[in-house]
Amino acid sequence: MSYITADNLNVINAEMTNWCNAACPRCARFTWNELKLRKDRVNSVHTSLGVIKNGLGPKIVSQLKLFGSCGTYGDFQMNPEAVQIYEYIKEHGKNCLIYLNTNGGARNTEFWRSLGKMRLRITFAIDGLKDTNHLYRRKVNWDKLMENVQAFISNGGEAEWGMLIFKHNEHQIEEAKALSKKLGFKRFTKRFSNRWSSESDIRRPNGRMAIKVDDYYIEEPESAPSTVYGADDPAIAPFGSQDQTQHRHKPETFNYKSEILCSAHYQGRHEIYLRANGQVQPCCMLGDIDRHEAKVLIDDLDKVNLNKTSLEEIFNGPFFKSLQEGIYKGSDKRLHTCFNTCRKSINYTQNVISPIDPAF
């Protein structure tokens, strides 16, 4: 079975930067138990226009059906070349849908007007109203956010309001939904966060978990069943096709025989995750391939970096070949991440992965 190649690649999820204006609790930018910045992983690099032009080029871009940015350590709006990059994608990717996720609280209205005129699709992560959004989306100013949203929508941009539900904002769901319609959002979705159960959390008398933030607590909502988690990773579901009510799957013992349906290579979808530092991997679920599990398959990081190696060489190199072997042949190169995320028995790929052309 062929895997992802330079000829079939049609989806790119690009981490546009590892900078962000916000400070959301449990974001990957911080240590899990404390709001201490991971200085070795953030605030150092952006995906450049140069790597898009030279590393991808017009041929690859012309094949794309989706070019997205869910962010991992950063928010696309912090990339100083963001507008130029999307203009290049629009110019050469005539059939490419650009979808983005953001807190919407940075840059000026001219920036957002430019994106609106390109008719991009953007999910704004807005977790409540003026009196609550900042409790989770820390450092995001509501008035500035609303100015940016209106500049984007009024200039032709297609927007979704994506709301994470907590105890402090669950009473505002209908009001937020009504405001989204008033402002011209095409869609409103709500989801539950799964960022709980850390050793520093406390359990409230009602059985819900709570995170200590500054001088207040962020608590699980009363409306969420204790077994429910939200698929709040836009790399998986960029536009949240429905409210998420998926249950945790029972763990299975790792083995080499279970069939894996790779989310990056499934039913016509051939995808890569392009990190801001230039590293290329099939999906963001593998984490930081220079320090997490996948590093055992890499002998030279330069060989998987688009700043140092051509995309075709990366696909034909040992990293992608080893991943393919582990996924489809069940060899000792199989990663636990691939098994736990995309094995057929959890029906993950069929139910969660968005189609090639997500629609509102």
Side-chain angles (χ1 to χ4, degrees), residues 108-117 145-157:
N108 57 29
T109 52
E110 181 56 39
F111 172 83
W112 293 99
R113 279 195 289 270
S114 297
L115 300 186
K117 290 175 181 177
L145 165 62
M146 289 295 105
E147 289 177 359
N148 292 342
V149 162
Q150 292 178 68
F152 176 73
I153 293 175
S154 64
N155 282 275

Side-chain angles (χ1 to χ4, degrees), residues 32-164:
W32 186 255
N33 292 319
E34 302 173 273
L35 283 174
K36 290 185 178 179
L37 204 65
R38 298 180 187 269
K39 295 182 180 179
D40 60 330
R41 306 189 197 185
V42 302
N43 296 358
S44 60
V45 67
H46 307 288
T47 292
S48 69
L49 179 60
V51 80
I52 299 297
K53 284 184 173 181
N54 303 320
L56 298 180
K59 179 184 180 299
I60 292 293
V61 174
S62 70
Q63 301 172 187
L64 296 180
K65 296 185 178 181
L66 292 176
F67 184 91
S69 179
C70 69
T72 297
Y73 292 120
D75 190 307
F76 85 86
Q77 63 187 325
M78 304 301 288
N79 186 318
E81 295 182 301
V83 171
Q84 294 92 327
I85 288 173
Y86 300 135
E87 287 176 339
Y88 183 85
I89 301 296
K90 293 288 286 187
E91 178 185 357
H92 297 284
K94 301 301 183 183
N95 299 312
C96 180
L97 170 65
I98 300 175
Y99 68 89
L100 309 166
N101 295 74
T102 181
N103 63 62
R107 305 296 286 264
N108 57 29
T109 52
E110 181 56 39
F111 172 83
W112 293 99
R113 279 195 289 270
S114 297
L115 300 186
K117 290 175 181 177
M118 283 188 267
R119 298 191 179 280
L120 308 188
R121 284 189 180 177
I122 296 182
T123 295
F124 289 87
I126 308 176
D127 305 326
L129 299 172
K130 185 171 185 176
D131 61 332
T132 56
N133 183 60
H134 63 283
L135 297 178
Y136 182 75
R137 301 288 164 183
R138 297 166 73 245
K139 299 187 178 181
V140 175
N141 179 274
W142 179 264
D143 293 334
K144 185 174 184 60
L145 165 62
M146 289 295 105
E147 289 177 359
N148 292 342
V149 162
Q150 292 178 68
F152 176 73
I153 293 175
S154 64
N155 282 275
E158 296 185 57
E160 173 184 341
W161 181 314
M163 182 176 177
L164 281 179

Side-chain angles (χ1 to χ4, degrees), residues 279-297:
Q279 291 174 353
V280 177
Q281 55 200 78
C283 70
C284 64
M285 302 303 290
L286 295 180
D288 294 357
I289 58 174
D290 55 338
R291 64 181 74 213
H292 293 159
E293 181 190 19
K295 70 180 182 180
V296 302
L297 304 179

Side-chain angles (χ1 to χ4, degrees), residues 229 236 246-247 249-250 252 258-263 266-267 338-353:
Y229 71 96
I236 296 172
Q246 295 161 298
H247 292 263
H249 299 288
K250 294 180 180 179
E252 291 184 17
S258 292
E259 183 179 357
I260 289 177
L261 301 175
C262 176
S263 64
Y266 183 74
Q267 291 190 344
C338 297
F339 172 79
N340 292 326
T341 304
C342 289
R343 67 183 182 274
K344 186 176 181 179
S345 60
I346 65 173
N347 211 29
Y348 182 86
T349 307
Q350 299 103 310
N351 290 340
V352 181
I353 299 303

